Amino acid sequence: AEYTRRGPDPRDPVARVERGALECMLQLPHLVPADDADALGDSAFEVPAHRAVHLAVRSAGGLAAAASMTVQAWVERVRDEAPEAVRSLVTEMVVAPMPADGEEAIARYATDVVLRVAEVDVSRAISTLRSRVQRLQPNDSGAEEAFADRAYEADGTLRSRDLPGAVLDDPSAAAGRGRRRADGDGRRP
C-alpha cells in the first residue's frame, strides 16, 4: 500500500475522528471499549495512513491483547507491526495531547470517538447499498437481495415486517451483510 507523507486535511472531520480513535487506541488502550474497537473492520478507516495504523493495531492483537500489556509494550508492538512509512505517524499519535482532562472525561472521549468511527463506517455501507438499490432495475433478480437489514424467508422473499425478527436490530450485522452484498460476493445478505 502507498501512503502520502502530506497526510489528510486537518479540517476533514472524518480524518480527525479516525486519528482521535487511533490516538486513544495507542495511548489509552485500557479506556477504549475493546470489543467495539476490535470489531472495526478494514474499511472503517478511510485515510490510507490511518488504515495502515489500524491494521498494525489489529496485527498486534487488537485491544484485547493490549489489556495484558503495559502501554509502552503495546505501543512498541504496534510500531513493530506498522509499515515503515507510518511508524512516525504511530509515534506522533502516541504523544498527541488528548482533548479532555480527567480520567472520566478521557474515558468518555475514548468511547465516543471509537463508536463514531464505527458509525461512519456503517453510514458508508448504507450509502453504498442505497446507491446500488437506486441503480437496480425493477425486474433485476438481485433487487430483493439489496436489503441488508432484513430477514428472508426460505424461498428468498423478504420476511414481512409484521413478523418477529424481520428487521435486524444489530447495526454491525446489517453493515456486514451490506458490505458483502456491496462487494458483490453474490451471497444473499
Side-chain angles (χ1 to χ4, degrees):
E2 195 170 309
Y3 314 102
T4 63
R5 295 241 181 243
R6 198 180 53 140
D9 182 346
R11 297 170 295 182
D12 179 352
V14 172
R16 283 196 318 259
V17 168
E18 288 180 4
R19 184 177 174 110
L22 290 167
E23 289 170 356
C24 289
M25 288 182 208
L26 292 168
Q27 293 181 40
L28 310 162
H30 58 286
L31 295 179
V32 173
D35 290 343
D36 295 317
D38 289 346
L40 295 172
D42 295 338
S43 65
F45 292 84
E46 192 172 79
V47 175
H50 294 169
R51 191 175 308 121
V53 172
H54 178 246
L55 181 58
V57 166
R58 292 177 69 187
S59 296
L63 278 287
S68 63
M69 307 170 85
T70 66
V71 173
Q72 181 179 354
W74 167 242
V75 169
E76 287 175 20
R77 189 169 188 179
V78 172
R79 192 177 293 123
D80 289 344
E81 293 292 335
E84 185 66 38
V86 297
R87 286 186 182 157
S88 62
L89 178 59
V90 170
T91 301
E92 284 176 34
M93 291 178 169
V94 169
V95 298
M98 287 289 125
D101 290 326
E103 183 134 348
E104 187 177 317
I106 290 173
R108 193 170 39 253
Y109 170 74
T111 298
D112 290 350
V113 74
V114 167
L115 293 178
R116 180 69 179 128
V117 169
E119 179 185 18
V120 169
D121 188 35
V122 169
S123 295
R124 261 190 237 118
I126 290 169
S127 178
T128 299
L129 286 173
R130 284 188 177 147
S131 175
R132 288 186 60 125
V133 167
Q134 289 173 350
R135 290 191 307 265
L136 290 174
Q137 299 300 317
N139 59 353
D140 187 338
S141 64
E144 79 279 0
E145 296 182 30
F147 299 96
D149 66 338
R150 294 286 302 279
Y152 291 85
E153 298 297 341
D155 65 359
T157 59
L158 283 174
R159 174 173 277 181
S160 168
R161 287 184 181 271
D162 297 332
L163 297 174
V167 178
L168 296 178
D169 294 326
D170 180 5
S172 50
R177 280 183 167 190
R179 268 190 227 95
R180 286 192 304 275
R181 179 62 187 148
D183 291 342
D185 73 358
R187 292 185 294 168
R188 185 170 305 286

